[in-house]
Amino acid sequence: MLINLINILFLLILPFLFIGIINKTKAFWTGRKGPSVFQAFYDFIKLIKKDMVVSNVTSIVFSVAPAITFASILFAGLFVPLAANKSIINVEGSFILFAYILGLGKFFSLIGAMDTGSSFEGMGASREASFSTIVEPAFFVIMASIIALTGNYTFKSISLIIQKADGIGFLIIILAIISLFIMLLVEGCRVPVDDPDTHLELTMIHEVMVLDNSGFDLGLIFYGSAMKMVIISSLIANILMPVNLSFGTSIVLYLVIITILAIIIGTLESSIARLRMSHVFEFIFVMSSFSLIILSLTAITLYGN
Amino acid sequence: MENALIVLYGLTMLYISATGRIKAHVKMLFFQGILLFLICYFSADKTNLVNFMFLTFETLVVKTFLIPLFLTKILNKNKIYRDSEPHIPNFYSLVIASIMLFGGFLISNIDYQAFDGINPIYFGVSISSIIISLYLITTRHKVLTNVIGFIMMENAIFLLSLSVAKEMPMIVNMGALLDIFIVVFILGLLINKINESFEDLSVYKLCDLKDCDCDD
């Protein structure tokens, strides 16, 4: 019960801190003091207090899309193990439900963007959809391989994989972490896939889709995007965390790993530039390549001997 | 450890198929040389000192330093930086190379009993690297990228021979070295000649060298 409560708190609070730490890291590398780590939370409060401006060409789809997207991300977050390797809802095959619920959220954010009739937002939606076609199959292959290796059909399998970290298992863990990190950058729309700071429509993917949103909806979209990053970071953290840690240690270790991931993302954004659109696909496809290698290595481990 | 190095070797092939910069290709050749040396170091029979020293010389000196240095010299001399228009765009090359790598693993797992005593990761990566190199040779234009593809194929064959036998006969080693020597030798002549005649290193220029033109 206590663990569930802590996990719900983490799921709700960590997104703001995650964004805050990324921005603080970026400020550090550029020699600035930077905004407070709670700035994302203040922005969220400011946005939900504001009135919404809604274009009169939009339909009901546009008005419900941000809420459905946010709800789907929150619901998907309940399946993922956060601190202490425990997820709030733990059922067999939950990773399939997880991926499809996130897919539903993405679908609504896409049609919400297209509903405005703006050509820019349609372009952003098209790009986002094409990225998803690469990322989602790769995610399925990685999760299926991990489940085949551990023999556990719940999301807990990602915590059990560390026990197989000998020889080939170690390789699988490294490749899975790199792949999930690429997924984190793609889903969180961070550099080098997308630049959250730019507002030049032609280079944007996710930012361009929300140009018409304002007020409460925009706040939900930013919050949901940050929450998605925390959820995927939790997957990485759980791969690295051993199962049999004490309660306190596992919570501290979880927070440390999440913080390190945020610092890595911030450092990455300060050190490299956004990739050209034609190269972004190559970057994302690395995840698919890795997933195929993970699948091969899993097959060798399971049937090779 | 060996397995990690071999998978890293497979990843270098993916990187090469996705990049058009020739300097990056040369850097990857250097990196492959180091990987091959480490793989040899971990897997080769160290009791046969002469053979082991020869393997070290071949991988560390020839494959890691001599060939990349020579290629860098040619790059700088001819001022070529990238293979800008491959027949197939780099993204599709990456997709095809990934499928080939996966196929290599599949082949090495199809009938495991038949490959008794062979490490399937060695076998899968080396077979797929050979096929990826052949694919790269056919899709890239420049003489230099073709030669780099050929040297990569040599590296992959070297890896394959390591997978089949832990200890390679000296004569096979020398054969591999001779191949590389000939490639580099021909490359030196060819590139300098083409550069003098055409000021460009695209292999398409060679299509202009037809016998029938002499009759006119």
Side-chain angles (χ1 to χ4, degrees):
Chain A
M1 185 62 201
L2 179 67
I3 296 175
N4 282 351
L5 207 63
I6 290 176
N7 277 344
I8 289 175
L9 275 179
F10 277 171
L11 193 61
L12 294 177
I13 294 169
L14 278 183
F16 298 120
L17 296 177
F18 196 79
I19 298 291
I21 295 170
I22 292 177
N23 288 337
K24 204 73 180 170
T25 315
K26 283 165 80 174
F28 171 78
W29 287 116
T30 44
R32 291 180 287 120
K33 190 166 169 252
S36 145
V37 279
F38 301 106
Q39 187 60 43
F41 178 68
Y42 303 145
D43 287 347
F44 176 68
I45 298 292
K46 178 189 78 183
L47 280 171
I48 59 173
K49 279 182 185 165
K50 282 190 170 184
D51 284 340
M52 284 197 282
V53 181
V54 181
S55 157
N56 55 14
V57 298
T58 56
S59 67
I60 181 133
V61 176
F62 179 78
S63 31
V64 297
I68 293 181
T69 307
F70 178 73
S72 70
I73 294 169
L74 188 62
F75 188 42
L78 301 181
F79 292 100
V80 176
L82 299 164
N85 305 109
K86 293 272 189 320
S87 50
I88 298 158
I89 305 175
N90 198 17
V91 288
E92 286 203 342
S94 54
F95 83 98
I96 297 175
L97 191 58
F98 169 81
Y100 276 104
I101 291 170
L102 278 187
L104 175 78
K106 185 159 277 175
F107 172 72
F108 267 92
S109 73
L110 294 179
I111 57 168
M114 289 169 75
D115 192 45
T116 56
S118 153
S119 50
F120 278 136
E121 293 189 34
M123 182 193 68
S126 150
R127 286 173 177 172
E128 182 98 0
S130 42
F131 290 167
S132 298
T133 53
I134 305 178
V135 170
E136 283 171 16
F139 176 72
F140 269 113
V141 172
I142 292 169
M143 283 308 299
S145 305
I146 290 177
I147 282 170
L149 266 180
T150 55
N152 186 324
Y153 288 84
T154 63
F155 246 124
K156 201 165 190 287
S157 58
I158 58 168
S159 329
L160 298 173
I161 184 82
I162 193 109
Q163 293 169 350
K164 311 255 175 190
D166 51 335
I168 299 178
F170 177 70
L171 259 178
I172 292 176
I173 290 174
I174 299 278
L175 291 175
I177 289 173
I178 298 173
S179 305
L180 286 176
F181 188 72
I182 293 174
M183 184 180 174
L184 173 63
L185 294 178
V186 176
E187 296 283 346
C189 311
R190 312 302 299 197
V191 174
V193 176
D194 192 4
D195 192 350
D197 292 332
T198 179
H199 281 278
L200 181 67
E201 292 92 337
L202 284 173
T203 59
M204 290 193 295
I205 298 142
H206 188 259
E207 290 290 316
V208 79
M209 285 168 62
V210 298
L211 277 182
D212 272 55
N213 291 95
S214 56
F216 185 73
D217 280 356
L218 191 62
L220 275 189
I221 288 169
F222 284 151
Y223 188 23
S225 173
M227 192 179 281
K228 213 193 256 182
M229 290 175 76
V230 170
I231 290 171
I232 300 169
S233 307
S234 301
L235 291 179
I236 299 176
N238 274 285
I239 289 180
L240 290 169
M241 273 160 51
V243 189
N244 45 7
L245 287 177
S246 71
F247 181 63
T249 326
S250 79
I251 286 182
V252 172
L253 189 62
Y254 171 77
L255 290 176
V256 167
I257 294 174
I258 297 280
T259 313
I260 290 174
L261 279 172
I263 292 173
I264 291 174
I265 293 175
T267 311
L268 206 64
E269 288 194 9
S270 317
S271 53
I272 60 173
R274 200 186 147 282
L275 288 173
R276 244 169 60 195
M277 192 52 75
S278 56
H279 291 301
V280 170
F281 286 99
E282 292 163 20
F283 176 73
I284 301 174
F285 197 80
V286 169
M287 187 181 166
S288 305
S289 308
F290 280 16
S291 71
L292 287 179
I293 295 173
I294 290 174
L295 184 64
S296 319
L297 293 176
T298 308
I300 288 172
T301 317
L302 290 180
Y303 304 110
N305 301 318
Chain B
M1 189 65 195
E2 267 174 84
N3 291 333
L5 293 170
I6 295 161
V7 171
L8 210 56
Y9 183 91
L11 295 183
T12 59
M13 295 307 296
L14 291 184
Y15 180 68
I16 289 159
S17 58
T19 180
R21 282 205 185 86
I22 299 179
K23 274 213 167 131
H25 288 203
V26 177
K27 271 182 202 156
M28 279 299 120
L29 273 183
F30 169 76
F31 191 56
Q32 283 190 352
I34 293 178
L35 285 177
L36 283 176
F37 166 68
L38 290 175
I39 291 169
C40 275
Y41 180 78
F42 284 113
S43 67
D45 175 22
K46 294 189 193 69
T47 50
N48 187 349
L49 199 63
V50 178
N51 193 46
F52 182 68
M53 278 173 69
F54 192 82
L55 282 177
T56 311
F57 170 76
E58 185 177 346
T59 51
L60 202 59
V61 178
V62 179
K63 285 189 195 295
T64 312
F65 288 105
L66 281 185
I67 295 175
L69 273 180
F70 184 73
L71 289 173
T72 318
K73 203 177 141 194
I74 292 175
L75 284 183
N76 292 338
K77 189 178 170 192
N78 292 292
K79 296 189 175 59
I80 41 177
Y81 303 109
R82 59 194 314 153
D83 205 333
S84 48
E85 290 167 357
H87 289 295
I88 297 173
N90 286 335
F91 173 67
Y92 296 108
S93 287
L94 180 61
V95 175
I96 291 167
S98 305
I99 293 169
M100 283 173 177
L101 198 59
F102 184 59
F105 279 117
L106 278 187
I107 289 169
S108 65
N109 268 285
I110 276 176
D111 185 5
Y112 193 78
Q113 304 302 325
F115 297 109
D116 197 26
I118 298 176
N119 183 339
I121 300 183
Y122 259 119
F123 192 75
V125 168
S126 48
I127 282 281
S128 50
S129 299
I130 292 172
I131 300 170
I132 293 170
S133 319
L134 283 172
Y135 164 79
L136 289 178
I137 292 172
T138 52
T139 52
R140 303 285 159 96
H141 288 196
K142 299 241 194 292
V143 180
L144 205 60
T145 37
N146 290 353
V147 170
I148 288 173
F150 190 80
I151 296 172
M152 271 164 194
M153 198 166 74
E154 284 285 327
N155 285 350
I157 291 171
F158 182 82
L159 194 65
L160 184 68
S161 59
L162 274 182
S163 82
V164 178
K166 287 276 176 191
E167 179 187 359
M168 281 211 294
M170 183 81 97
I171 196 81
V172 176
N173 282 328
M174 294 176 82
L177 267 188
L178 195 67
D179 268 1
I180 290 170
F181 171 70
I182 291 171
V183 167
V184 175
F185 190 65
I186 293 176
L187 169 81
L189 288 178
L190 198 62
I191 282 186
N192 290 333
K193 274 288 175 221
I194 295 182
N195 201 29
E196 276 170 24
S197 313
F198 298 114
E199 297 174 354
D200 185 17
L201 285 180
S202 174
V203 281
Y204 281 142
K205 300 285 181 189
L206 294 175
C207 298
D208 299 337
L209 303 171
K210 285 176 188 159
D211 288 343
C212 54
D213 289 349
C214 307
D215 300 334
D216 299 337

